[in-house]
Amino acid sequence: MRWWLLYLVPAVLIGHGEPGPSVAAYAVVVAVHLAVKRSIAGRPPADQPLAGFSARGLTSLAALLADRKRPALRDEWRAHLAGESGHDPITWTKVREARGFVVSAVRFRLSDAADLAWRPVDAVLGSRPLSNLLAWGPVIVMLVAIVRRDGRFGLVADIQDPIALGGFLYIVIRAGRRRRGVKPPEPKARRAKE
Amino acid sequence: MSALKIRLTAVIMDVLDVLTNSPSDDPAWGLRLCEVTGYGTSTIYPALDRLMKAGWITDRWEDPRPADRPPRRFYEMTSTGREQYAAGLRARRERRAAWLHPAPHTGGGA
């Protein structure tokens, strides 16, 4: 987190663009923040009930967000907070780690959503008939549109457009397969004539 | 369904290096990975999840379960993971070598 950004906004608001009040407000906010931070960090763990509550609460929230597909994470994260000794005191460092669990859980959900969104794309890329339909469909539509508008002569005059579209779609499909690591099944070998 | 492709980013490589060098009697777990690599929890756990999904690593719980603290979840590399990681590193090295030291032009000339 860029804390200075948080300082800067109130400083600019207070100062209304004038440098003097802005700098003064900035200095005051920084000083207050550092004082609070130092007083919290200096306290012994027993005096930090808020930290323990925050860490446990954030870990529970993260486990809830991580979905039922990952039930092991709750225990795993509890073990993480317990530390190497197994009985580490809860400090603000642990709260920061618990905040990381929440970010992890959000990233898991985003990753799941992305996987779900890619599924139809993977299905098209992994199937030769669907890939052919994706490449040839728009080309055929364009050919028909040209013929209907300009006749067969128009087709000769504008042939570069469907070729460019087909080439572009072919490249998109090949690049998509490579990027997603999808391999369509090999075409069946034609039966040799007896 | 496509196999999940793993890009060898700095985070992934650091995690895999730690897992590769962890002894089997003292395997790596989340906290240790964070401490050794220096990355935060929000970076390490998504990386582990991704590697698990790709089948590069596997997990197991601490056995026997300790009574006085939560059990730890240990991570280990699978044989597929080791092979793919080695192949990825090799390809990366070759790519780098090709960029840094391009082969001299040996085309025929007068």
Side-chain angles (χ1 to χ4, degrees):
Chain A
M1 185 75 186
R2 302 281 178 268
W3 288 105
W4 58 269
L5 277 177
L6 290 180
Y7 300 147
L8 209 58
V9 174
V12 168
L13 286 178
I14 292 167
H16 290 295
E18 291 173 30
S22 295
V23 171
Y26 184 86
V28 168
V29 178
V30 169
V32 168
H33 178 237
L34 289 179
V36 169
K37 206 173 167 184
R38 192 165 295 171
S39 73
I40 289 172
R43 281 189 212 167
D47 292 347
Q48 298 186 23
L50 190 63
F53 179 76
S54 307
R56 275 193 296 274
L58 285 172
T59 308
S60 299
L61 174 69
L64 201 71
L65 283 174
D67 200 10
R68 277 169 292 175
K69 274 192 266 178
R70 300 177 179 87
L73 285 175
R74 185 185 293 268
D75 280 344
E76 182 176 14
W77 286 340
R78 278 177 54 221
H80 185 119
L81 288 181
E84 283 283 357
S85 69
H87 307 283
D88 278 6
I90 298 291
T91 56
W92 287 104
T93 310
K94 298 281 180 189
V95 176
R96 211 163 40 238
E97 288 180 345
R99 208 172 58 195
F101 298 155
V102 177
V103 177
S104 298
V106 171
R107 288 181 68 179
F108 291 151
R109 294 304 289 262
L110 288 176
S111 160
D112 289 347
D115 286 347
L116 204 66
W118 276 108
R119 211 170 279 179
V121 179
D122 287 344
V124 171
L125 294 176
S127 153
R128 282 189 189 277
L130 289 177
S131 297
N132 287 337
L133 187 69
L134 180 69
W136 283 105
V139 173
I140 290 169
V141 169
M142 187 182 260
L143 288 172
V144 170
I146 291 171
V147 170
R148 288 183 76 171
R149 195 187 62 185
D150 300 331
R152 287 180 195 164
F153 183 74
L155 192 62
V156 176
D158 294 335
I159 194 66
Q160 73 278 2
D161 293 344
I163 289 175
L165 179 65
F168 171 72
L169 291 171
Y170 177 79
I171 290 169
V172 165
I173 290 169
R174 292 300 294 250
R177 282 179 182 160
R178 195 173 163 176
R179 175 89 177 80
R180 298 287 302 158
V182 176
K183 268 191 177 175
E186 290 297 320
K188 287 175 188 170
R190 294 187 183 187
R191 214 189 310 171
K193 286 181 183 173
E194 290 180 6
Chain B
M1 189 75 186
S2 66
L4 188 64
K5 202 173 171 184
I6 295 289
R7 276 190 305 136
L8 290 182
T9 59
V11 175
I12 293 286
M13 291 200 321
D14 286 348
V15 168
L16 291 175
D17 283 340
V18 175
L19 292 176
T20 308
N21 296 319
S22 295
S24 58
D25 58 335
D26 186 23
W29 57 295
L31 176 64
R32 188 165 304 159
L33 283 166
C34 288
E35 284 175 353
V36 174
T37 60
Y39 296 113
T41 48
S42 59
T43 305
I44 289 294
Y45 286 104
L48 289 171
D49 186 65
R50 197 167 168 73
L51 288 166
M52 286 270 286
K53 268 190 196 169
W56 283 35
I57 62 172
T58 182
D59 66 328
R60 68 179 165 85
W61 285 98
E62 191 174 8
D63 190 34
R65 289 172 80 95
D68 57 339
R69 60 171 173 78
R72 290 171 186 171
R73 188 182 186 188
F74 296 128
Y75 294 95
E76 283 167 331
M77 283 190 80
T78 60
S79 53
T80 313
R82 283 180 200 281
E83 284 166 20
Q84 301 262 10
Y85 183 40
L89 283 181
R90 214 167 29 242
R92 189 185 162 92
R93 262 197 305 272
E94 282 166 11
R95 268 201 311 272
R96 280 206 171 173
W99 272 96
L100 294 173
H101 311 288
H105 183 64
T106 54

